[in-house]
Amino acid sequence: MRNIIITGGAGFIGSHVVRLFVNKYPEYNIINLDKLTYAGNLANLKDVEDKPNYKFVKMDICDFDTFYKLMQDEQIDGIIHLAAESHVDRSIKDPFTFARTNVMGTLSLLQAAKLYWESLPEKYEGKLFYHISTDEVYGALEMTNPEGINPPFMTKASSGKHHEAYGEEFFLETTKYAPHSPYSASKASSDHFVRAFHDTYGMPTIVTNCSNNYGPYQFPEKLIPLFINNIRYRKSLPVYGKGENVRDWLYVEDHARAIDTIFHNGRVAETYNIGGFNEWKNIDIIKVIIQVVDRMLGREEGEDMDLITYVTDRLGHDARYAIDSRKLQTELGWEPSLQFEEGIEKTVKWYLDNEGWLNDVTSGDYQKYYDNMYGDKTIE
Ligand code: NAD
Ligand code: DAU
């Protein structure tokens, strides 16, 4: 029996983590704590909302007093912390919101957990604060080989056709932090606070840093769902700069499985990088998406290439992210389950099959869903 709070469980990655834990561990008591910002959508969890081991609590992670009371009432022994403002473009326009939620919110959770766990006879024994972070805290890698190289340690997520890494350097767990955007600066700050709570108070903590996720239930402000939706309606596809920036893509369910593995078997005070050695230049991934969407919509494959529109670059746009996840693979035996070609097919199919979800999110109707369904079950 464990009593676990998953913060940000109504968001993209969080909803996959909640689903996995609720289904796989019926003996656990899983509490999804989420403020339901624009990015939180309880429709993502319709299939588990009636399970007896699942509960939703509407709460802001910055609300220290209410969170502290929840820890006591539910006798929480594990926290998996995903709640965050997560979109880089929004952070460039509104950095304060990112500092508030990502830095102060994380600190508030840490302090409440510390006070509660230190008040117990067993103190920190059997407890864990697991913080989900991003590869963006490491800054940007250089594109030392724009044509691509083929390192020997590629994994299943690296596709059969596409083996390139665009440089010799990768982010390691020991790579020095060098965040560039307000988003990554706020995540870096929260990572430091988590480690400080371990080093200062002895709180059992783990931090993981993952690469770009893709898959179902991602808010269509992020590259892949935005572009799938735009191709559907033949709207232009805004490619920042020259489209040469490189991201390292991992299917979201593989991230959720990694979180499960690390939560149960990871070593306290460690950092694990999560990624599938699956680098793509934005423009290449965009062309693949156009081909897959066209084919699935019965259009001529590639006929929507003319929707590509090069626009002003993102400010401070990081050139290349590439995660070295060999520590996680060798120490805990995790590896990605999908090749990228399979993952992107599944993803496009999901968005096209779930037009209702996409329409509700793009129209704002999804917010009515939780207002109606959960009005009487929330804690403000
Ligand atoms: P998301 O934006 O889809 O979801 C964030 C969730 O947090 C939403 O449900 C939102 O309502 C909730 N939230 C926001 N502010 C809150 C607050 N003040 N109090 C309570 N809840 C709040 O994000 P995501 O893409 O699922 O990312 C989840 C986590 O994983 C984040 O910490 C992010 O930094 C990290 N991460 C994301 C990626 C990625 O590719 N998306 C990769 C690596 C790490
Ligand atoms: O690396 C992990 C990070 O990945 C996470 O921590 C973030 O929460 C998540 O949002 C993601 O950040 P990115 O900035 O890499 O993701 P995004 O989908 O916004 O952009 C992916 C790439 O595509 C990036 O190089 C910018 C580019 N892009 C994005 C959008 C939305 C475009 O060219 N046009 C667009 O319209």
Side-chain angles (χ1 to χ4, degrees):
M1 183 65 208
R2 297 200 67 168
N3 299 321
I4 298 170
I5 288 178
I6 300 177
T7 72
F12 166 48
I13 303 169
S15 63
H16 289 275
V17 177
V18 167
R19 178 175 298 100
L20 189 156
F21 272 69
V22 167
N23 288 330
K24 187 169 171 186
Y25 302 107
E27 71 280 20
Y28 289 3
N29 168 26
I30 304 295
I31 298 171
N32 170 13
L33 186 162
D34 200 296
K35 182 183 175 184
L36 300 180
T37 67
Y38 79 94
N41 183 357
L42 288 171
N44 299 357
L45 288 165
K46 265 186 177 168
D47 53 326
V48 297
E49 68 188 11
D50 294 327
K51 298 263 173 153
N53 62 336
Y54 170 76
K55 179 151 73 177
F56 171 67
V57 173
K58 185 172 182 229
M59 192 190 292
D60 188 330
I61 57 167
C62 299
D63 183 349
F64 174 86
D65 293 336
T66 316
F67 182 73
Y68 180 61
K69 184 167 182 311
L70 183 71
M71 294 276 306
Q72 290 177 311
D73 290 350
E74 300 285 348
Q75 299 174 27
I76 295 301
D77 50 36
I79 297 169
I80 306 178
H81 175 36
L82 296 106
E85 290 292 337
S86 70
H87 192 42
V88 174
D89 293 329
R90 286 180 189 256
S91 82
I92 293 167
K93 293 201 185 97
D94 175 21
F96 279 113
T97 307
F98 284 68
R100 180 187 178 277
T101 287
N102 299 358
V103 185
M104 293 306 291
T106 302
L107 180 55
S108 179
L109 299 182
L110 285 164
Q111 181 68 2
K114 169 186 179 291
L115 292 184
Y116 172 59
W117 286 339
E118 287 187 353
S119 74
L120 301 172
E122 77 276 17
K123 303 216 181 287
Y124 288 120
E125 201 186 313
K127 312 293 186 290
L128 182 64
F129 190 105
Y130 177 3
H131 178 62
I132 308 300
S133 192
T134 169
D135 59 359
E136 302 201 10
V137 297
Y138 298 124
L141 295 165
E142 279 181 46
M143 294 263 286
T144 48
N145 196 330
E147 298 313 312
I149 53 169
N150 194 347
F153 40 77
M154 302 313 252
T155 65
K156 199 167 181 191
S158 335
S159 110
K161 290 178 220 154
H162 178 92
H163 275 285
E164 289 90 2
Y166 291 102
E168 288 76 16
E169 243 196 297
F170 293 82
F171 294 137
L172 288 162
E173 286 81 0
T174 48
T175 300
K176 196 163 142 272
Y177 274 32
H180 295 135
S181 72
Y183 163 67
S184 52
S186 68
K187 290 297 290 186
S189 172
S190 64
D191 296 6
H192 290 318
F193 271 110
V194 174
R195 294 191 180 103
F197 268 63
H198 171 267
D199 296 350
T200 308
Y201 309 111
M203 181 184 287
T205 59
I206 293 181
V207 177
T208 57
N209 299 80
C210 189
S211 61
N212 283 62
N213 285 213
Y214 71 100
Y217 300 113
Q218 188 169 31
F219 196 85
E221 62 186 351
K222 308 278 166 59
L223 180 78
I224 291 182
L226 175 72
F227 278 33
I228 294 171
N229 193 43
N230 282 11
I231 299 164
R232 189 167 72 116
Y233 289 115
R234 294 212 153 100
K235 283 161 61 175
S236 72
L237 306 176
V239 180
Y240 298 162
K242 293 183 180 152
E244 297 278 308
N245 303 64
V246 169
R247 295 293 181 267
D248 182 358
W249 293 93
L250 182 70
Y251 193 65
V252 62
E253 289 179 6
D254 283 331
H255 188 188
R257 280 195 309 104
I259 290 172
D260 176 22
T261 301
I262 293 162
F263 180 78
H264 289 97
N265 303 317
R267 281 184 295 141
V268 163
E270 287 292 322
T271 299
Y272 295 92
N273 280 353
I274 308 173
F277 294 106
N278 182 42
E279 290 178 53
W280 286 77
K281 287 184 189 169
N282 290 340
I283 193 65
D284 293 337
I285 218 169
I286 288 163
K287 287 178 180 163
V288 171
I289 294 168
I290 294 172
Q291 283 169 339
V292 178
V293 176
D294 280 348
R295 173 162 40 79
M296 288 192 184
L297 289 177
R299 300 177 188 168
E300 196 180 320
E301 210 172 287
E303 76 170 86
D304 285 318
M305 290 293 175
D306 59 357
L307 295 177
I308 292 176
T309 310
Y310 290 94
V311 299
T312 310
D313 209 352
R314 175 185 275 175
L315 295 176
H317 197 171
D318 286 335
R320 171 177 170 246
Y321 302 146
I323 276 278
D324 185 334
S325 58
R326 279 179 290 172
K327 174 177 172 182
L328 172 60
Q329 296 185 15
T330 51
E331 200 176 292
L332 299 181
W334 171 91
E335 65 165 36
S337 67
L338 281 181
Q339 286 204 336
F340 184 72
E341 274 78 6
E342 298 169 72
I344 200 72
E345 291 266 334
K346 273 176 81 152
T347 301
V348 171
K349 184 167 180 337
W350 187 87
Y351 284 99
L352 297 181
D353 286 351
N354 289 275
E355 279 195 334
W357 182 93
L358 205 45
N359 291 340
D360 280 354
V361 173
T362 46
S363 68
D365 278 354
Y366 68 111
Q367 290 174 320
K368 291 182 198 139
Y369 171 78
Y370 57 70
D371 284 349
N372 296 339
M373 296 290 293
Y374 288 89
D376 58 346
K377 284 195 199 168
T378 60
I379 300 178
E380 286 289 356

